[in-house]
Amino acid sequence: MSETSPKLRAELEGVPTYKPGKPAAAGGPVAYKLSSNENPYPPLPGVMEKVTAAASAFNRYPDMACTGLMNELAERFGVPVSHLATGTGSVGVAQQLIQATAGPGDEVIYAWRSFEAYPIITRISGATSVQVPLTPDDVHDLDAMAAAITERTRLIFVCNPNNPTGTVVRRAELERFLDRVPADVLVVLDEAYREFIRDPEVPDGVELYRDRPNVCVLRTFSKAYGLAGLRVGFAIAHEPVAAALRKTAVPFGVSHIAQEAAIASLRAEDELIGRVGTLVGERARVADALRAQGWTVPETQANFVWLRLGERSVAFAEACERAGVVVRPFAGEGVRVTIGETEANDIFLKATAEFPQEA
Ligand SMILES: Cc1ncc(COP(=O)(O)O)c(C=O)c1O
């Protein structure tokens, strides 16, 4: 066999691998998965029926334009269909956004640490990542991000709330930042956790996008809506950007099942609001209990909490796993823990109570 392998793009050499949250151990002691910011609830009412019906037609390709879902989203957000684009999860749409804007020699700015897909999809496109460290309080440093803009900047991600810290940027600072970004640089407001926000000072990106043609809002059905496994996300952006997203989409990427499930989930909004409210209540209970135990917990507006454990992050995650909950360590930095079922949260709090706070 020849030693020569096909020529692959040099950029792929440096692509970091996406680390999915570890699954709960099968057959082990009670184990809850709090490692992927998923929703612990079963599908919303009416969703399974639609999914089951849609499954009988999967010998056919789905509607590539996602017409039904687009119409539903247009009405829900008060935007024209031409301002919408869907993709295989919001990470798929994020990748389409980079493909549409940046290539070799271009720069993509984002906070760090933030969503771990950003460096991967930037590198794959051949563009250069410009990572701007979070402030010591684990919040986006928007002044430093504005200062990092060069004539090579093509796209800026603002992850609000930020994954994995849960921290937010508020209206005044975000508007000030947007005013500083040149009109030909796209700002992507990644609002994967939007539904969990309770701080009234955090702006809804959809309001900010309306009179700013360089702002794009990214949303997903994976988190609050509980459809992570079906892979459907969407963007709201002005026409040239939304049109570019449709061009860069994988044809037929959003299945018929996913489209039907997303529509049914949007129509089950009352139940959704109740479930999100319960998770937000659990978030407050967990954060308060952690602080009562003496932990420092950044203010979170997402469905997870962040513990900056530094070098002890992996050991802490192992202790949690022994206790029965799988969490997400970022070695040397911290641990992100999804808010789950009450029993899972209780197991986590027991583990934190027992883990020494100082090495
Ligand atoms: C900030 C952020 N954006 C986007 C995503 C992607 O989610 P999905 O591709 O399931 O829509 C995630 C998932 O963890 C996330 O945390």
Side-chain angles (χ1 to χ4, degrees):
M1 228 169 30
S2 155
E3 292 292 303
T4 312
S5 74
K7 286 201 175 93
L8 301 173
R9 285 174 54 228
E11 284 87 355
L12 297 185
E13 292 281 327
V15 174
T17 37
Y18 190 104
K19 289 199 191 70
K22 215 173 146 178
V30 228
Y32 292 94
K33 184 175 178 221
L34 303 180
S35 54
S36 293
N37 297 342
E38 293 154 337
N39 189 318
Y41 288 101
L44 284 158
V47 173
M48 271 315 278
E49 290 78 353
K50 288 288 183 188
V51 163
T52 313
S56 66
F58 61 50
N59 54 315
R60 305 284 174 201
Y61 286 105
D63 169 11
M64 197 164 110
C66 297
T67 313
L69 177 57
M70 295 285 250
N71 289 336
E72 197 87 11
L73 289 170
E75 187 161 326
R76 168 86 169 62
F77 290 100
V79 301
V81 167
S82 61
H83 284 202
L84 287 165
T86 52
T88 55
S90 57
V91 72
V93 187
Q95 182 153 27
Q96 290 162 238
L97 282 163
I98 296 194
Q99 277 182 314
T101 54
D106 299 329
E107 292 174 351
V108 175
I109 299 177
Y110 51 87
W112 200 250
R113 179 167 281 277
S114 190
F115 181 35
E116 68 175 313
Y118 299 155
I120 299 173
I121 57 184
T122 302
R123 179 85 192 177
I124 289 172
S125 78
T128 303
S129 279
V130 178
Q131 301 185 335
V132 178
L134 297 169
T135 68
D137 296 334
D138 287 318
V139 178
H140 274 58
D141 188 342
L142 291 179
D143 283 337
M145 288 175 73
I149 296 171
T150 70
E151 76 278 2
R152 290 182 299 281
T153 308
R154 294 290 174 272
L155 185 148
I156 306 173
F157 284 110
V158 176
C159 189
N160 202 27
N162 187 46
N163 174 7
T165 58
T167 50
V168 288
V169 289
R170 299 192 170 79
R171 183 171 289 106
E173 53 180 327
L174 187 51
E175 285 184 349
R176 206 168 42 240
F177 170 75
L178 293 175
D179 289 343
R180 288 178 67 182
V181 178
D184 60 358
V185 172
L186 183 66
V187 180
V188 178
L189 303 176
D190 185 344
E191 299 187 334
Y193 304 96
R194 169 71 210 168
E195 295 81 2
F196 298 101
I197 295 176
R198 289 295 177 273
D199 180 341
E201 285 308 308
V202 179
D204 181 335
V206 180
E207 296 316 315
L208 293 176
Y209 114 97
R210 288 191 196 278
D211 56 1
R212 294 178 191 268
N214 68 331
V215 170
C216 170
V217 183
L218 210 49
R219 297 278 181 97
T220 182
F221 283 96
S222 297
K223 308 298 177 180
Y225 285 92
L227 300 181
L230 287 181
R231 313 307 302 128
V232 49
F234 62 98
I236 301 177
H238 287 263
E239 208 134 327
V241 176
L245 284 174
R246 288 191 287 272
K247 285 185 193 164
T248 47
V250 172
F252 306 108
V254 180
S255 72
H256 181 45
I257 295 177
Q259 295 179 34
E260 288 292 301
I263 294 170
S265 300
L266 283 169
R267 292 183 183 166
E269 182 131 71
D270 288 349
E271 176 72 18
L272 172 93
I273 290 170
R275 292 179 179 191
V276 169
T278 302
L279 289 170
V280 166
E282 276 295 283
R283 173 178 81 195
R285 181 177 78 86
V286 169
D288 289 349
L290 288 170
R291 291 186 187 115
Q293 289 175 8
W295 295 93
T296 302
V297 189
E299 178 63 36
T300 173
Q301 292 288 311
N303 66 338
F304 49 86
V305 291
W306 173 246
L307 295 175
R308 189 166 275 291
L309 276 145
E311 294 308 320
R312 299 190 311 142
S313 301
V314 172
F316 175 81
E318 287 166 358
C320 285
E321 200 165 331
R322 284 194 296 276
V325 288
V326 184
V327 300
R328 173 72 163 93
F330 294 84
E333 292 178 63
V335 179
R336 188 193 67 199
V337 185
T338 308
I339 302 298
E341 305 84 334
T342 306
E343 317 84 81
N345 303 333
D346 285 342
I347 294 173
F348 167 60
L349 288 173
K350 191 160 173 289
T352 54
E354 288 166 6
F355 194 81
Q357 290 185 22
E358 301 298 334

